[in-house]
Amino acid sequence: MTESRTNWGRWTGARLVVVSLIPALLCGFVFAEWLPSDIERYDAYTAAEPCTATGDTYECLRTLPFTVDKTVVKDTGRNARYEATLSGPGTSSLTGTVPFGDPGPLLDRLAPGDQVTAVVWRSTIMALSKDGVRQSSADEPRDEAQMTAGFGTLAGLVAALGLAFAAASLAGYGGQVPWTWRSLGKPLLIGMALTCLGVAFAALLLGLPWWVVPAAVVPFAAYAAWQLHRYRLRGLTDSSPAP
């Protein structure tokens, strides 16, 4: 029975190692590719200037007239859609559907036939305006690196949690308190998710740099995991029958 349990623990630990590679790779992708790309794109967009007669029309900001063909404002939860289909003379390469993140302040006012002005950057419509009302499209770069860093940090912490449980299983502690999902895994996962979201959102509101998120969350999560582990072990010791 002991040998069978040991083999099961090793098999479970090996599987946890493999599964933990998924959030680990996701974490690496966020910090190595996604986050730097978003920051570079936002910086390039904010530094772009209006086009001139001799300038690079791909990197500069063009202002072009368009006609609204139709709009879609659909507020139905997960299937929500906010779109405007545009057309314009001599701009066929840009004619098409422009996605938005919400219906206002301009999209829900538009009707077929309305004339709008579009800001175009890198062959993509960044914003529409009409009669002084402007609305950014979903494609316009935003300074939200803190939220991306929060997502990447959470992925890294999930990977670390999985590897910790894998090590416990390989060492023969799998399925024993505190190394159980209910005792340690679930509260840590919920706590890490809430902490990453809270710190990332606070950093976004306060305008703090993105690196504040992992710098604050990782030590806190490690300390919380250590304290919870000690608490579970202490509870196990206190509940043991006296000799």
Side-chain angles (χ1 to χ4, degrees):
M1 179 67 71
T2 301
E3 182 178 355
S4 176
R5 180 177 178 84
T6 301
N7 291 334
W8 179 86
R10 290 175 178 173
W11 172 240
T12 302
R15 285 189 298 175
L16 282 173
V17 170
V18 174
V19 171
S20 298
L21 290 177
I22 298 175
L25 291 173
L26 182 59
C27 175
F29 170 75
V30 169
F31 287 107
E33 297 292 338
W34 183 0
L35 186 61
S37 176
D38 280 356
I39 294 175
E40 184 278 330
R41 189 167 182 267
Y42 175 79
D43 290 343
Y45 178 65
T46 55
E49 297 182 352
C51 292
T52 61
T54 58
D56 181 2
T57 58
Y58 182 74
E59 288 293 341
C60 65
L61 301 177
R62 287 188 289 166
T63 302
L64 300 173
F66 283 89
T67 301
V68 177
D69 293 334
K70 69 174 183 178
T71 60
V72 176
V73 178
K74 186 178 180 182
D75 298 293
T76 53
R78 293 182 179 179
N79 297 320
R81 289 174 57 200
Y82 308 107
E83 301 171 347
T85 302
L86 309 176
S87 62
T91 56
S92 58
S93 62
L94 294 172
T95 299
T97 300
V98 181
F100 293 88
D102 48 60
L106 178 62
L107 181 61
D108 54 2
R109 301 184 183 184
L110 297 178
D114 284 349
Q115 301 297 310
V116 295
T117 300
V119 175
V120 180
W121 181 69
R122 292 186 176 179
S123 301
T124 304
I125 294 177
M126 299 287 107
L128 297 181
S129 61
K130 181 179 185 295
D131 298 332
V133 180
R134 183 184 188 277
Q135 182 171 350
S136 299
S137 73
D139 294 320
E140 186 177 48
R142 289 167 174 78
D143 187 15
E144 298 177 348
Q146 299 88 343
M147 301 304 294
T148 306
F151 178 73
T153 302
L154 178 58
L157 290 175
V158 170
L161 181 62
L163 291 174
F165 269 82
S169 295
L170 293 172
Y173 296 106
Q176 303 177 34
V177 177
W179 294 102
T180 64
W181 169 250
R182 183 177 181 181
S183 177
L184 199 61
K186 183 177 180 180
L188 281 179
L189 182 60
I190 295 175
M192 290 187 304
L194 293 177
T195 302
C196 286
L197 177 62
V199 174
F201 189 65
L204 177 63
L205 291 180
L206 296 175
L208 301 177
W210 67 265
W211 54 261
V212 169
V213 179
V217 170
V218 172
F220 176 80
Y223 177 77
W226 171 248
Q227 290 298 322
L228 181 59
H229 182 267
R230 291 182 59 190
Y231 173 77
R232 295 303 190 197
L233 282 178
R234 188 163 57 248
L236 180 62
T237 303
D238 294 342
S239 61
S240 299

